[in-house]
Amino acid sequence: MTYPSVISSKNARKVSTLPAGLDSLRMPEHIAIIMDGNGRWAKAKGLPRSMGHTSGVESLKNTLHLCSDWGIGALTVYAFSTENWSRPSEEVNVLMTLFESVLKRELTNLKLEEVKINFLGDLDPLPIALKELINESVELTKKNKGIRFNVCTNYGGRRELVLAAQKLAERSVKGELDPSCIDENVFASELFTASEVDPDLLIRTSGEKRISNFLLWQLAYAEIHVTDVLWPDFNADALKKALLDYQSRSRRFGGV
Ligand code: IPE
Ligand code: IPE
Ligand code: MG
């Protein structure tokens, strides 16, 4: 993947080449990441949790660049879950303010770097200024041809499935859809990920071995890589390890 606009711009950054040992022909098309461990990273350094989140943003920026440079088609990250509202309101506010300031700051670069950004989740309860910025960024980058960058915000796998079921039921009641025609494709077309392929690789940082309500439908056949690295420490080396792990797997999809 090449980005002429970036190379010629004054914002040009150094493009990272695929590390030795990785097979360019066996890269995942779509990587999903549960970016976990910001709080523990901060605690270990005697810093407030908010510093962990701020630092996590730099990891995300770096990871997006690496994925783009290494030929990954789509990166989907878990930024805020439907369960994260249960955190102390100060932390929720910090996160919402951070999302807004980062998006504002990065929007021009996302456009220049050909990133196509999308937000998956129930965006309604988000602060109005953030919602406006989200709409603007999706609109501004919708024709971009580079990496598809999906940010799961107020996302919950169960909420997504329930909303899809509601939409299908409404269409059926209106007589627009015969219930016997609802198959996996029709169902998937009502999910937030409707235009996206399923993730090939799921990475979870900070060592937790659970999926915490993330992409319940879409992860059906994803390879799972759990690393003890805390999200703010996630770097090129950690991504390379995840990809080497992925490339060592035999994906059978139920076959032999
Ligand atoms: C992940 O880091 C970021 C969000 C969930 C928003 P955490 O904040 O969950 O960090 P830990 O798990 O407490 O270390
Ligand atoms: C998952 O992390 C959600 C995000 C990364 C946004 P959590 O920290 O909320 O998950 P649990 O509580 O450890 O399952
Ligand atoms: Mg956590």
Side-chain angles (χ1 to χ4, degrees):
M1 232 173 277
T2 53
Y3 298 127
S5 58
V6 180
I7 289 156
S8 63
S9 110
K10 63 181 179 351
N11 295 321
R13 62 175 179 83
K14 197 168 174 293
V15 171
S16 158
T17 51
L18 192 67
L22 284 171
D23 180 349
S24 64
L25 300 176
R26 298 188 59 225
M27 295 295 278
E29 164 65 13
H30 183 179
I31 298 180
I33 307 184
I34 301 177
M35 309 181 289
D36 198 15
N38 294 351
R40 278 162 283 171
W41 180 90
K43 193 174 175 204
K45 291 187 153 38
L47 298 168
R49 289 178 61 84
S50 58
M51 294 297 288
H53 297 313
T54 313
S55 204
V57 170
E58 296 314 306
S59 288
L60 177 55
K61 203 174 153 182
N62 187 38
T63 303
L64 177 64
H65 284 150
L66 291 169
C67 285
S68 168
D69 294 349
W70 295 357
I72 305 298
L75 173 68
T76 299
V77 297
Y78 209 2
F80 193 88
S81 76
T82 47
E83 287 73 32
N84 287 148
W85 296 106
S86 68
R87 295 186 178 205
S89 58
E90 306 83 70
E91 181 165 346
V92 171
N93 290 340
V94 160
L95 285 166
M96 294 299 153
T97 308
L98 185 66
F99 295 156
E100 195 186 324
S101 63
V102 170
L103 194 51
K104 206 176 275 171
R105 187 187 76 200
E106 297 298 331
L107 195 47
T108 310
N109 281 339
L110 291 171
K111 167 95 176 128
L112 278 175
E113 294 178 6
E114 284 292 330
V115 174
K116 182 177 180 178
I117 196 168
N118 199 9
F119 289 81
L120 314 182
D122 177 5
L123 306 180
D124 255 3
L126 301 178
I128 180 89
L130 176 58
K131 272 194 281 193
E132 283 172 5
L133 204 53
I134 284 176
N135 290 337
E136 191 192 335
S137 62
V138 171
E139 185 60 30
L140 195 70
T141 65
K142 72 178 181 197
K143 295 206 175 78
N144 280 358
K145 297 279 181 280
I147 191 165
R148 304 183 301 284
F149 178 40
N150 307 310
V151 186
C152 294
T153 315
N154 191 28
Y155 175 89
R158 287 185 172 181
R159 170 87 53 90
E160 178 181 44
L161 294 170
V162 167
L163 288 175
Q166 277 179 4
K167 282 183 241 158
L168 292 169
E170 278 162 18
R171 282 169 57 199
S172 294
V173 167
K174 282 190 202 152
E176 294 168 8
L177 178 68
D178 177 350
S180 67
C181 293
I182 301 174
D183 59 12
E184 291 186 11
N185 286 331
V186 171
F187 199 94
S189 72
E190 295 292 356
L191 299 173
F192 296 128
T193 48
S195 54
E196 192 54 89
V197 295
D198 287 344
D200 302 291
L201 169 64
L202 170 70
I203 300 172
R204 182 163 189 155
T205 57
S206 88
E208 308 292 357
K209 297 179 184 70
R210 53 177 173 261
I211 53 173
S212 302
N213 204 12
F214 192 42
L215 302 175
L216 298 180
W217 171 282
Q218 298 85 344
L219 292 174
Y221 268 102
E223 297 299 326
I224 301 176
H225 174 85
V226 175
T227 169
D228 286 334
V229 172
L230 303 172
W231 178 249
D233 290 328
F234 193 84
N235 58 14
D237 189 46
L239 182 61
K240 180 186 170 185
K241 284 194 178 114
L243 289 165
L244 282 171
D245 188 16
Y246 172 80
Q247 292 190 342
S248 75
R249 310 282 179 88
S250 154
R251 302 187 77 190
R252 289 187 288 279
F253 300 97
V256 286

